[in-house]
Amino acid sequence: MRLSARPIAALVAALALTAGLSITGTPAVARSDDRAAAAEASDVSIAADTYTWKNARIDGGGFVPGIVFNRSEKNLAYARTDIGGAYRWDQAGKRWTPLLDWVDWDRWGWSGVVSLASDTAEPDNVYAAVGTYTNSWDPTNGAVLRSSDRGASWKAATLPFKLGGNMPGRGMGERLAVDPNKNSVLYLGAPSGNGLWRSTDSGATWSEVTAFPNPGNYAQDPSDTSGYGNDNQGIVWVTFDERSGSAGSTTQDIYVGVADKENTVYRSTDGGSTWSRIAGQPTGYLAHKGVLDSSTGHLYLTLSDTGGPYDGAKGRIWRYDTESGAWTDVSPVAEADTYYGFGGISVDRQKPGTLMATAYSSWWPDTQIFRSTDSGATWTQAWDYSSYPNRSNRYTLDVSSVPWLSWGANPAPPETAPKLGWMTESLEIDPFDSDRMMYGTGATVYGTEDLTSWDSGGTFTITPMVKGLEETAVNDLASPPSGAPLLSALGDIGGFRHTDLDAVPAMMFTSPNLDSTTSLDFAEASPGTVVRVGNADAAPHIGFSTDNGANWFQGSEPSGVTGGGTVAAAADGSGFVWSPEGAGVHHTTGYGTSWTASTGIPAGATVESDRKNPKKFYGFSAGTFYVSTDGGATFTAKATGLPAEGNVRFKALPGTEGDIWLAGGAPTGAYGLWRSTDSGASFTRFSGVEQADSVGFGKAASGASYQTVFVSAKIGGVRGIFRSTDAGAGWTRINDDAHQWAWTGAAITGDPRVYGRVYVSTNGRGIQVGESSDTDGPGTDPGPGTDPGTDPGEPPADADCSVTYTVTNRWSGGFQAEVKLTNTGTAAYDGWKLGWTFPGDQRIGQIWNASHQQTGAKVTVTDAGWNGMVAPGSSAAFGFTGTTTGDGTAPGAFTLGGEACAVG
């Protein structure tokens, strides 16, 4: 699965917020000339209603770069994520417990966890190094959090530099380590050239180890001027040899990994006073991990030619004998046979000489896991080729608890669905149980409890061990009045239709599969009609459903679309308005068989629909509000003086024409909450709302004349999630300081059927569901709706491609063909999917240099990974054998990502 928590520059730019969180204060009434008139509001109640919070279950959904077992207490384990906080394993419930939900809006970057350390001497102690970006995207410095109650509460030591939980190299580690003999001593490897740091008071204060000679020099992309790809990845792991100390005394032998291909391992033999490069070490690689087997005295390094976590084209595994000083290459395969780097590594503390490692960057056909029981002299692997492309697996993979991990795919061998994973930078054998192993991927945590069956020639069972760990980044949410209670637009894994908030959905949205869904909407009066748009390597970027999101069909799109943008559905489902990236605002009737450019509205505007008048659509851009009364064909500029900076989101009230609420802005300009009751001709600002970022509506309270309004906002000096049952005259904070989830500004919506229920977006902690203890006006959920529909079919547009299809051999009942795809455009393909429909009964048998899916006569062929990048004017070729009862007539048409190619 091609998953990564990508940098969110535009998002973060809008989060450079001021002031710390306060729980006291009065509503602000300030007014400036560039803002519309202020409404006379509002009274504020801080946590006056008691809410219970939970996740809408997805289970996983993001990268887990680190798993840490405590080595002195059984079943005590932690996991870290790149943007979604840290977790502790609950053995009784076989689930993960979140530990950083208290991270607040102003310090949102602390939800990115660079490293974790569990104290062997005192297992109640746990430490987390936090911070999301080392560049300007994150406004706050990093910190080391310390807890003496296993993460139930924390204290923080803010550092004089930033840390990068979502930066390149985030799978390396662990950068943070506790001295196993003297647990008041900790070390932290810093990025950005900041060197090695040490604490001697259990993490309360930190100082640089000035004697350490090398702060690192490797950057993923030195030409990147954003501070992301060109950041020095620095000091990447610290490992103690506990044999060189005794309880209460400082460990003398300490090993440190550095992001420097020529000088990647250093050692101190005097408790950190002096340091030197270890002679004879491998060069030309970065050591992602350094793990010491104290029973054998062997230090193992997993190496890659890049910092990861998704790149890496070559790799090795080396063993260092700490007694003799001898280095040995113990790699399981020849260097020439690697197309990946090695990342995750663990030793079995119960069985000296037994170790495992991962090929973290092997996307196609699958990741690989290696195991040795003789200190790396020989290895076996999780799967082998029996007769290519068929595989012989030492494992069975059961994803029935998280079925979407198959991605709805049906690839040809040697690729499988579901896969063992990708971005497998973390793998840990339970130090108390040789049969239990866990490893993190770009989407989940997998594990087994019968691992030693590997050694006896049997098969072991791998299952998701991810319950409770929710790491999706949420872009949009919708709660229709009938059908499923919740539809979601998510980063990296598209989105889901939740018919049961406490159950993992069977599959994410497919047909099309979108890398990230950026916006979705349903027709208010016809909730079976749903539209979603998002980002993908190639077209299509839009999908439609006529059965409330249960099934989807791909839509065509205007020329030039490069990303999802925002989309809106007419109140009755008769048409749609789309503002995609790469193209201006467009409108259509029906299901987008053709699109027409809208006029009067700038490209990139945010679009929404009126929830009663099907001809009325709204738009917003750079402080100006736009209105269309002809189905999106033409827009007219209306209200001005609205926020010209930052992100702005707005929603129209269901069932009432022209009632619009708008939230957004930036601390350097207009920032707050506005309302219009005249279809955007004018807006009135709520004076008591100092800042607001998203707004939504839910079922009205009993006896109330207005639907419940929910906002993610700052009111009365307090940042939080607020509810109003009287059209904004008064507000109640409904979250608390233990439930803040860092940044919650992307989307919020109430449930139109259940009073008080609210769905809140997070950037890495999934979808939060709040339930009110106030039963004033409870609603009922009638269950999923039907509203069945059919796919009307849609003609594809033209793509920049040409296809040559050649039958190279025929025999009775079969044939062989070669296909060449040529890029005729001006931009490179970054991955490709070629489709066609066979005449007759032709079926593909074996394919090479690509993978394929075939349903009936329809075929989709996907690049093999290594040939996914096709420069302008260049070609990618693949071949296959097929069966047929006819003559193997060539297909007459081909599509690239759903758009038509020329036939050569």
Side-chain angles (χ1 to χ4, degrees), residues 343-698:
I345 189 168
S346 181
V347 299
D348 188 337
R349 304 292 175 180
Q350 300 294 317
K351 295 184 176 183
T354 294
L355 65 151
M356 298 178 69
T358 67
Y360 77 88
S361 55
S362 177
W363 160 252
W364 189 93
D366 205 346
T367 200
Q368 185 61 276
I369 301 174
F370 303 90
R371 181 173 173 89
S372 173
T373 57
D374 54 11
S375 299
T378 61
W379 297 81
T380 52
Q381 50 195 46
W383 59 270
D384 297 277
Y385 288 115
S386 50
S387 57
Y388 187 86
N390 299 311
R391 284 167 46 167
S392 173
N393 298 331
R394 297 179 184 270
Y395 65 90
T396 59
L397 180 55
D398 178 5
V399 298
S400 57
S401 64
V402 190
W404 61 261
L405 285 168
S406 72
W407 243 253
N410 185 30
E415 194 173 15
T416 62
K419 292 186 176 185
L420 277 172
W422 185 49
M423 295 168 64
T424 50
E425 286 267 40
S426 58
L427 180 147
E428 293 295 328
I429 302 171
D430 187 332
F432 293 91
D433 185 354
S434 297
D435 268 320
R436 181 160 69 172
M437 175 269 289
M438 296 182 184
Y439 67 97
T441 78
T444 194
V445 177
Y446 279 128
T448 182
E449 294 182 330
D450 59 355
L451 178 61
T452 57
S453 295
W454 182 318
D455 302 326
S456 60
T459 58
F460 62 98
T461 301
I462 296 175
T463 60
M465 291 186 176
V466 73
K467 185 178 180 181
L469 195 157
E470 299 283 350
E471 204 200 344
T472 49
V474 185
N475 295 324
D476 203 1
L477 296 168
S479 183
S482 63
L486 180 64
L487 306 173
S488 59
L490 305 178
D492 286 340
I493 59 172
F496 292 90
R497 180 180 190 258
H498 269 91
T499 57
D500 181 346
L501 302 174
D502 296 314
V504 178
M507 193 55 57
M508 70 275 288
F509 298 140
T510 59
S511 300
N513 287 74
L514 300 174
D515 296 340
S516 294
T517 300
T518 56
S519 175
L520 59 78
D521 195 15
F522 64 90
E524 189 69 40
S526 179
T529 301
V530 188
V531 61
R532 61 186 168 93
V533 295
N535 302 329
D537 291 339
H541 296 87
I542 186 168
F544 296 95
S545 173
T546 57
D547 57 6
N548 192 241
N551 297 281
W552 295 85
F553 55 91
Q554 299 176 357
S556 66
E557 58 190 51
S559 176
V561 173
T562 59
T566 57
V567 70
D572 62 356
S574 59
F576 304 88
V577 172
W578 184 15
S579 178
E581 295 179 18
V585 178
H586 284 70
H587 67 100
T588 187
T589 56
Y591 293 102
T593 54
S594 64
W595 293 88
T596 304
S598 303
T599 61
I601 185 170
T606 300
V607 296
E608 297 282 355
S609 65
D610 190 86
R611 309 311 285 181
K612 186 174 183 180
N613 185 341
K615 292 296 184 182
K616 188 172 286 187
F617 288 84
Y618 305 113
F620 177 86
S621 179
T624 299
F625 200 81
Y626 298 84
V627 180
S628 172
T629 58
D630 56 7
T634 60
F635 282 82
T636 302
K638 295 292 185 178
T640 58
L642 297 167
E645 302 176 64
N647 291 322
V648 173
R649 298 164 180 85
F650 63 94
K651 292 289 184 181
L653 185 75
T656 302
E657 184 175 350
D659 192 343
I660 305 157
W661 293 62
L662 182 145
T668 54
Y671 198 177
L673 182 68
W674 287 258
R675 181 186 175 193
S676 172
T677 57
D678 55 10
S679 297
S682 63
F683 279 83
T684 301
R685 186 176 188 269
F686 288 88
S687 62
V689 181
E690 296 137 77
Q691 300 175 356
D693 291 85
S694 58
V695 60
F697 308 101

Side-chain angles (χ1 to χ4, degrees), residues 242-337:
E242 62 263 36
R243 302 171 304 166
S244 62
S246 58
S249 66
T250 303
T251 300
Q252 296 300 293
D253 292 355
I254 312 167
Y255 297 86
V256 172
V258 180
D260 178 343
K261 289 187 177 183
E262 301 306 310
N263 311 279
T264 196
V265 189
Y266 286 77
R267 178 177 60 182
S268 173
T269 58
D270 54 12
S273 296
T274 62
W275 301 84
S276 60
R277 178 187 185 276
I278 302 179
Q281 65 182 263
T283 59
Y285 288 97
L286 303 175
H288 279 223
K289 309 278 186 183
V291 174
L292 194 142
D293 186 343
S294 57
S295 297
T296 63
H298 291 150
L299 174 71
Y300 294 96
L301 306 182
T302 46
L303 300 124
S304 175
D305 59 343
T306 68
Y310 36 80
D311 53 4
K314 291 291 178 184
R316 310 304 295 146
I317 300 176
W318 279 72
R319 184 183 71 209
Y320 176 66
D321 188 324
T322 58
E323 300 297 327
S324 69
W327 285 96
T328 306
D329 184 343
V330 294
S331 304
V333 295
E335 183 178 41
D337 292 334

Side-chain angles (χ1 to χ4, degrees), residues 124-214:
D124 285 346
N125 295 340
V126 62
Y127 300 87
V130 297
T132 300
Y133 298 104
T134 60
N135 62 0
S136 62
W137 299 343
D138 191 336
T140 56
N141 279 351
V144 176
L145 309 179
R146 62 192 188 278
S147 172
S148 58
D149 53 14
R150 306 181 184 221
S153 62
W154 298 86
K155 294 180 180 179
T158 303
L159 299 167
F161 50 82
K162 296 180 180 183
L163 296 176
N166 197 33
M167 294 291 288
R170 58 192 179 273
M172 296 194 282
E174 293 290 322
R175 297 173 182 258
L176 182 64
V178 184
D179 190 322
N181 291 302
K182 189 172 184 177
N183 66 341
S184 59
V185 175
L186 293 91
Y187 282 86
L188 171 68
S192 312
N194 289 306
L196 182 67
W197 288 66
R198 176 170 52 208
S199 172
T200 58
D201 55 8
S202 299
T205 61
W206 292 82
S207 59
E208 185 176 3
V209 181
T210 55
F212 194 81
N214 186 353

